[in-house]
Amino acid sequence: MKKFNSFLFVTVLTMLTTVAFAQSTLTGKVIDGEMNAPLPGANVIVKGTSNGATTDFDGNFTITAASDSGEIVISYVGFETKVVAFNGDTDFGSIVLNLDNTLDEVVVVGSGIIDLAEDRKTPVAVSTIKGKDIVLKATGNVEFGEAMKNTPSIYVSNQAGGFGDSQIFLRGFNDTNTAYLLNGQPINGMEDGRMYWSNWSGMSDVANAVQVQRGLGSSKLAISSVGGTVNIVSKTTEKREGGFVRFLTGNDSYMKGTFNYNTGVNDKGWAFSVLIDHWQAHRKYSIGTAGQGQNYMISVGYKPNERNTFNFLITGAPQWHDQNFSEDLEFYEAYGEKANDNSGFYRGERFTERRNFYHKPVANLNWDWNIKDGLDLSTVLYASWGRGGGTGNLGRGRIRNQDVGIFGLNEREINFDAIEENNIATADANGNGNFGDSYLRRASMNNHNWYGLLSNLNIATSENWTFNVGFDGRTYNGIHFRQLVDTFGLNGYVDNFRIPERPDDYVISETFEANPWTTLFDFADDDQRYDRNYEEVINYIGTFGQAEYSTDNFSVFVQGAISTQSYQREGFFGGVGDGLGKSEKLNKTGYQVKGGASYQINEEHSIFANAGTFSRQPFLDNVFANIRYSNALVEPEVENEEIVGLEGGYRFQNQTLRVNLDVYRTEWGNRFVSVGTNLPLDEFGIYRFTDVTQIHQGLEFDFEYRPLAAGWSLRGYGSLGNWKYEGDTPYTLQNDDTGDFLVTDGTLELTDVKIGNAPQTSFGIGFRADICEGLSIDADYNIYTDLYEFIDVEDVVQAALDGDKYEAVRLPAYTLADAGLTYRFTLGDNPMVFRANVYNLFNEAYINQRNAFGYYLGIGRTFNASIRYNF
């Protein structure tokens, strides 16, 4: 009996001790379902307790639970909350959090085409801006590029020029030399490589994320970008039914309304999403910069089975915006920083000479096919159709207020009423005007059709090896011409200037609206076009491949691509340059080879190095002697540009601190550059430089400190660059208006001349803090210095003639501060978000760029506020 009692006592005691002291070790990794990347700063709590942890920068967490069973709750602002059960020690593996209705949950994107840095284990210099940050900070009356400005070596020249007229520089290279991709589709202009951000104004609402890959990047496409690659990942079809309504307002009567609705996936695998909005303002910042536009996105997803997924997307952002151009500093001193001499009044209403209007619908069809385990094929078929242009003056009859005795701050504005009176007074017997006496408003049109196919096969042959092979093909044809917009009292225009095929009394009389919707189908036929009328055709075919070997601590990759591109021009007017008929077809072959390796020293420290060389085909605009009037190729023929890039990096990450450090050197040789200049008699000239060499080298860092469960975080970045020209550069000056292809020529010595238009040194710091439940504030402070003017060609030429060394002019350094407030609350069962932003908080006056024609002043203090209701 005593033995039994002893046994019973020990058994009960053991059971009580086990219950009292039972513990479970819980580990896992939280993944951002938006970008398939680790989600740092997510909260993980044992349900019903205050016991929890915050994920580190790799998304990892470890919790010791006081019981052997229960549930953990994983949450992160903007993402759906997930509850997962455990029983004893549990390794949850990867726990994916998807975006909640606040930011829309992605289901289909064509992941094999979009070259995200996470798809390759060997690192690159990369920064990712998530959709929630874009929505909060860079929407409404703010340029889309502002979302990227707190990134190393990114400079956004917002310019007081009008909605969508900003420029983005990456490591000192402008947007023509940075590859921009939308869901894997190249979107830089094929003729000149430019990014017209007004055509992409809807990206602030459509983008789910933006990944900036500086330098060599991880792109597998046959695209040789000098500055880097910017991947814009758009929203597509959503999994769940729901949507949102948002209203936003801002300075200078800015208003915007947005509606989004998702049907969710039905039992047959279909889902539909739609987003539409409208915006308008009487100006951006400067006088005469009114704008208006819409944005739409329609997406259809279909998943017939587990191995195949399809998604069709069409999006567009039709818009018009009035423009302000660069000016001498004396102009701003005399008439104020918001002055605009493109603008004036006509019949009592604000009116402008310069308006940009464009509509560029973009459609793509994605197919993701999981052929079998370790073998995936992603393909996208895409198309875009651009219609629109920019207005300007026709004829020499422009009249400003000062010309009719009106002086003061508005004396440089255009007097359109006086122009109309002069047109009527100087018209011929039939009421028609001419180039010498009259003034009309015309539009330079750029209509194009662009089709392409991208395909990438991903092969994982073993645990360590992955291979990619793919195809990149595009065809583009662009049609350029001029048409009449306003005649100001005239019946028509006598077009006897530069078109020998027309008689001296030929009259064009039809006018067409500067409207992005009507211009889709309503534009001038050949008989109503003037000055220029030509078509360009570009065909591009490339193939690429990549192999990567990786272990737990080491990875190495090699990548190559080859492409061929053809150019051809057909002119429909003889013009001053004899541009009638088709040119010869020119073919250029390009290639790229790059490779790299990384080593994981331990869980916190890693290093990497990459190198690459490119041979990049020239842009079409550089191939012909005069793109507007001549079919003749430039002599000597423009050759490929040669680029060599080297970079290395160090990464540190623990639970609370992330630090990235990168060094780089890019040599860009045999570059072709054209710079516009004003000539006598209001004519336009172009300097053409060949064999330009640029050296861009520097150091970058960024960090983020996120204390565990502290409710605040701190981040910062820095860029220190040394960008300069090297060697002798031959040049010619041509008159682009008369077709005189050689006004003068010579050779310039540019060694050690600093490269301008973007600051070579910049720093920034930002923080975010939770004030109370639902309420948070954030702020960013940026410093820009070592900003030089774009080369003043006239000064360079004069210095060479004088035997002097040209020195680039350094512009004043400046700082900018932005601040924001977010308040999240509920209305019934549905969440609402209020957001307010102030940009250039201290209203600092600064110069953010000088081009060949003058200075662009930065934008002063502006603001916006929005309210969003999710359902």
Side-chain angles (χ1 to χ4, degrees):
M1 188 64 179
K2 288 182 181 180
K3 290 182 179 180
F4 175 77
N5 290 339
S6 298
F7 172 76
L8 183 61
F9 174 77
V10 171
T11 301
V12 172
L13 181 62
T14 301
M15 293 177 62
L16 291 173
T17 303
T18 300
V19 173
F21 294 99
Q23 291 183 333
S24 301
T25 300
L26 312 175
T27 59
K29 184 171 187 175
V30 180
I31 299 294
D32 174 355
E34 175 189 20
M35 296 293 290
N36 192 32
L39 187 60
N43 294 313
V44 184
I45 298 176
V46 178
K47 190 173 183 180
T49 73
S50 58
N51 180 25
T54 302
T55 58
D56 63 18
F57 281 103
D58 290 321
N60 297 315
F61 68 88
T62 299
I63 300 175
T64 300
S67 61
D68 62 353
S69 64
E71 295 178 323
I72 59 170
V73 180
I74 307 101
S75 62
Y76 189 86
V77 174
F79 288 76
E80 64 181 2
T81 298
K82 182 168 285 189
V83 179
V84 183
F86 67 88
N87 188 3
D89 292 345
T90 304
D91 182 358
F92 295 98
S94 294
I95 302 173
V96 178
L97 292 191
N98 291 310
L99 291 168
D100 64 16
N101 265 351
T102 304
L103 293 171
D104 308 324
E105 182 183 352
V106 180
V107 62
V108 178
V109 171
S111 56
I113 294 297
I114 304 173
D115 287 312
L116 301 178
E118 290 77 10
D119 296 334
R120 195 178 72 199
K121 292 189 177 181
T122 309
V124 296
V126 63
S127 300
T128 300
I129 302 96
K130 296 186 180 297
K132 59 187 179 65
D133 295 319
I134 299 171
V135 168
L136 293 178
K137 294 186 177 183
T139 190
N141 56 344
V142 182
E143 300 289 320
F144 175 65
E146 295 284 313
M148 302 177 239
K149 76 176 184 181
N150 297 303
T151 300
S153 292
I154 282 277
Y155 180 58
V156 182
S157 176
N158 52 31
Q159 304 177 347
F163 291 99
D165 283 342
S166 66
Q167 289 183 285
I168 300 176
F169 295 82
L170 180 52
R171 287 184 175 172
F173 301 104
N174 66 11
D175 47 21
T176 67
N177 300 296
T178 302
Y180 287 87
L181 308 176
L182 173 62
N183 294 341
Q185 170 189 341
I187 58 176
N188 296 75
M190 286 197 67
E191 298 170 12
D192 56 11
R194 293 187 61 185
M195 283 296 298
Y196 299 91
W197 287 108
S198 56
N199 302 342
W200 305 99
S201 60
M203 285 299 101
S204 295
D205 298 301
V206 172
N208 244 335
V210 176
Q211 189 171 87
V212 180
Q213 299 174 10
R214 302 182 295 278
L216 296 171
S218 67
S219 173
K220 297 184 291 290
L221 301 185
I223 299 173
S224 302
S225 60
V226 185
T229 304
V230 177
N231 287 286
I232 303 171
V233 183
S234 80
K235 294 178 174 65
T236 51
T237 315
E238 317 298 334
K239 276 187 177 180
R240 295 177 296 161
E241 183 179 7
F244 71 87
V245 178
R246 183 187 62 206
F247 177 76
L248 184 147
T249 185
N251 57 280
D252 296 302
S253 72
Y254 186 93
M255 292 186 295
K256 179 174 183 175
T258 308
F259 171 79
N260 167 243
Y261 177 66
N262 315 301
T263 65
V265 183
N266 64 24
D267 55 4
K268 295 184 178 180
W270 288 93
F272 302 86
S273 296
V274 61
L275 181 147
I276 55 174
D277 74 26
H278 172 86
W279 65 270
Q280 63 184 51
H282 81 268
R283 69 184 186 191
K284 179 181 179 181
Y285 183 71
S286 298
I287 294 168
T289 53
Q292 179 178 295
Q294 294 77 38
N295 177 30
Y296 58 86
M297 183 198 78
I298 300 170
S299 185
V300 180
Y302 177 53
K303 190 167 185 176
N305 51 53
E306 290 303 314
R307 292 195 178 272
N308 291 277
T309 305
F310 299 89
N311 196 85
F312 173 77
L313 172 76
I314 185 167
T315 184
Q319 59 78 39
W320 62 260
H321 70 275
D322 298 340
Q323 297 179 292
N324 184 23
F325 294 162
S326 58
E327 299 283 358
D328 292 333
L329 293 181
E330 293 78 10
F331 175 86
Y332 297 117
E333 291 171 359
Y335 307 115
E337 66 171 9
K338 295 185 179 182
N340 179 2
D341 64 0
N342 291 331
S343 186
F345 284 87
Y346 182 47
R347 299 179 180 177
E349 300 288 337
R350 175 63 68 179
F351 198 78
T352 186
E353 177 180 277
R354 298 285 182 169
R355 168 172 291 182
N356 175 278
F357 60 102
Y358 217 77
H359 189 178
K360 185 183 174 75
V362 177
N364 57 59
L365 176 64
N366 280 282
W367 174 31
D368 288 334
W369 179 22
N370 175 223
I371 302 171
K372 63 179 183 178
D373 289 347
L375 189 62
D376 299 279
L377 178 68
S378 289
T379 303
V380 58
L381 178 67
Y382 63 86
S384 67
W385 308 270
R387 301 290 185 272
T391 66
N393 66 300
L394 168 59
R396 293 177 174 159
R398 183 195 287 121
I399 298 173
R400 298 192 183 276
N401 284 339
Q402 63 188 18
D403 300 325
V404 291
I406 300 174
F407 298 99
L409 287 176
N410 63 351
E411 68 184 54
R412 287 288 299 163
E413 290 190 348
I414 302 173
N415 192 317
F416 294 97
D417 294 317
I419 286 172
E420 186 169 76
E421 293 176 5
N422 180 69
N423 280 352
I424 295 171
T426 60
D428 64 17
N430 296 314
N432 300 318
N434 60 75
F435 185 83
D437 298 320
S438 307
Y439 175 100
L440 305 89
R441 194 166 70 139
R442 50 80 182 165
S444 298
M445 302 294 292
N446 176 3
N447 293 356
H448 71 253
N449 303 313
W450 183 351
Y451 304 96
L453 177 69
L454 283 167
S455 190
N456 177 44
L457 181 67
N458 182 69
I459 308 164
T461 59
S462 68
E463 182 179 347
N464 304 112
W465 283 98
T466 59
F467 299 89
N468 286 272
V469 293
F471 171 83
D472 176 8
R474 314 165 221 157
T475 182
Y476 170 96
N477 84 295
I479 302 174
H480 301 263
F481 57 92
R482 281 184 168 176
Q483 64 187 23
L484 294 183
V485 176
D486 296 286
T487 59
F488 299 108
L490 297 172
N491 293 328
Y493 169 68
V494 180
D495 185 29
N496 56 8
F497 192 62
R498 298 180 181 150
I499 304 179
E501 295 86 4
R502 287 180 173 172
D504 290 344
D505 60 350
Y506 192 92
V507 175
I508 56 174
S509 57
E510 294 183 25
T511 59
F512 301 86
E513 288 186 78
N515 181 294
W517 285 102
T518 61
T519 197
L520 273 177
F521 308 105
D522 186 24
F523 45 84
D525 294 327
D526 286 347
D527 65 333
Q528 293 297 305
R529 299 176 183 181
Y530 86 97
D531 184 58
R532 68 192 65 168
N533 187 16
Y534 62 92
E535 180 178 4
E536 304 157 339
V537 177
I538 304 173
N539 292 312
Y540 179 99
I541 297 176
T543 184
F544 54 88
Q546 175 179 291
E548 183 174 38
Y549 175 81
S550 62
T551 64
D552 290 341
N553 297 321
F554 175 76
S555 68
V556 61
F557 84 96
V558 63
Q559 187 185 111
I562 189 169
S563 62
T564 181
Q565 182 165 279
S566 67
Y567 317 80
Q568 191 166 35
R569 179 191 184 278
E570 182 175 8
F572 304 105
F573 291 160
V576 294
D578 193 23
L580 192 62
K582 285 188 177 182
S583 72
E584 78 173 273
K585 182 181 287 187
L586 179 67
N587 288 278
K588 293 284 187 181
T589 300
Y591 66 86
Q592 69 176 37
V593 178
K594 56 184 176 180
S598 69
Y599 179 65
Q600 185 84 26
I601 300 170
N602 55 37
E603 291 184 356
E604 297 182 339
H605 304 271
S606 63
I607 55 175
F608 73 91
N610 299 318
T613 181
F614 308 151
S615 180
R616 190 178 77 165
Q617 297 99 326
F619 295 123
L620 179 141
D621 281 3
N622 298 335
V623 167
F624 293 96
N626 185 310
I627 191 63
R628 293 189 288 171
Y629 305 130
S630 174
N631 288 334
L633 298 175
V634 169
E635 295 182 1
E637 183 178 306
V638 177
E639 300 295 339
N640 283 10
E641 298 173 344
E642 307 297 333
I643 301 104
V644 177
L646 304 170
E647 64 184 20
Y650 164 75
R651 303 287 182 261
F652 172 83
Q653 293 185 11
N654 63 20
Q655 285 192 324
T656 60
L657 178 64
R658 172 182 58 81
V659 178
N660 298 321
L661 177 66
D662 299 293
V663 294
Y664 66 91
R665 186 182 191 276
T666 303
E667 180 175 336
W668 185 9
N670 202 35
R671 184 190 176 195
F672 178 91
V673 180
S674 61
V675 180
T677 186
N678 290 317
L679 298 174
L681 301 177
D682 289 331
E683 291 173 342
F684 185 74
I686 293 182
Y687 281 98
R688 303 170 69 89
F689 299 87
T690 56
D691 198 21
V692 177
T693 298
Q694 294 181 203
I695 306 292
H696 292 237
Q697 54 194 358
L699 178 147
E700 307 161 335
F701 69 87
D702 65 280
F703 71 88
E704 184 173 8
Y705 178 59
R706 191 191 298 268
L708 298 177
W712 62 272
S713 62
L714 185 70
R715 64 187 181 278
Y717 75 91
S719 306
L720 296 92
N722 182 16
W723 313 328
K724 57 188 180 181
Y725 295 97
E726 185 175 273
D728 296 336
T729 299
Y731 76 92
T732 60
L733 172 62
Q734 72 176 48
N735 188 316
D736 202 49
D737 284 329
T738 65
D740 184 357
F741 300 137
L742 185 60
V743 176
T744 184
D745 63 355
T747 300
L748 302 180
E749 167 60 47
L750 294 178
T751 298
D752 292 331
V753 173
K754 293 288 189 177
I755 294 168
N757 277 353
Q760 303 202 13
T761 303
S762 59
F763 298 95
I765 192 163
F767 80 93
R768 179 189 177 278
D770 297 324
I771 305 302
C772 59
E773 184 176 356
L775 179 64
S776 64
I777 59 172
D778 55 84
D780 295 289
Y781 187 75
N782 296 277
I783 303 170
Y784 302 105
T785 186
D786 292 331
L787 172 60
Y788 294 88
E789 295 183 354
F790 186 75
I791 288 181
D792 189 317
V793 179
E794 309 291 346
D795 289 348
V796 178
V797 173
Q798 189 60 51
L801 293 175
D802 296 339
D804 296 330
K805 176 68 176 176
Y806 173 80
E807 296 288 342
V809 176
R810 183 177 175 179
L811 298 175
Y814 67 94
T815 62
L816 292 177
D818 303 328
L821 178 148
T822 304
Y823 181 54
R824 302 176 185 273
F825 59 102
T826 58
L827 183 63
D829 294 328
N830 295 320
M832 296 190 71
V833 181
F834 171 80
R835 173 69 182 181
N837 293 292
V838 180
Y839 307 95
N840 193 357
L841 179 64
F842 304 117
N843 199 31
E844 173 149 348
Y846 62 99
I847 299 170
N848 69 13
Q849 196 179 92
R850 186 200 189 280
N851 61 17
F853 301 100
Y855 295 86
Y856 275 110
L857 300 187
I859 292 177
R861 184 188 298 116
T862 58
F863 64 88
N864 64 39
S866 65
I867 186 75
R868 171 169 169 155
Y869 173 72
N870 302 286
F871 59 89

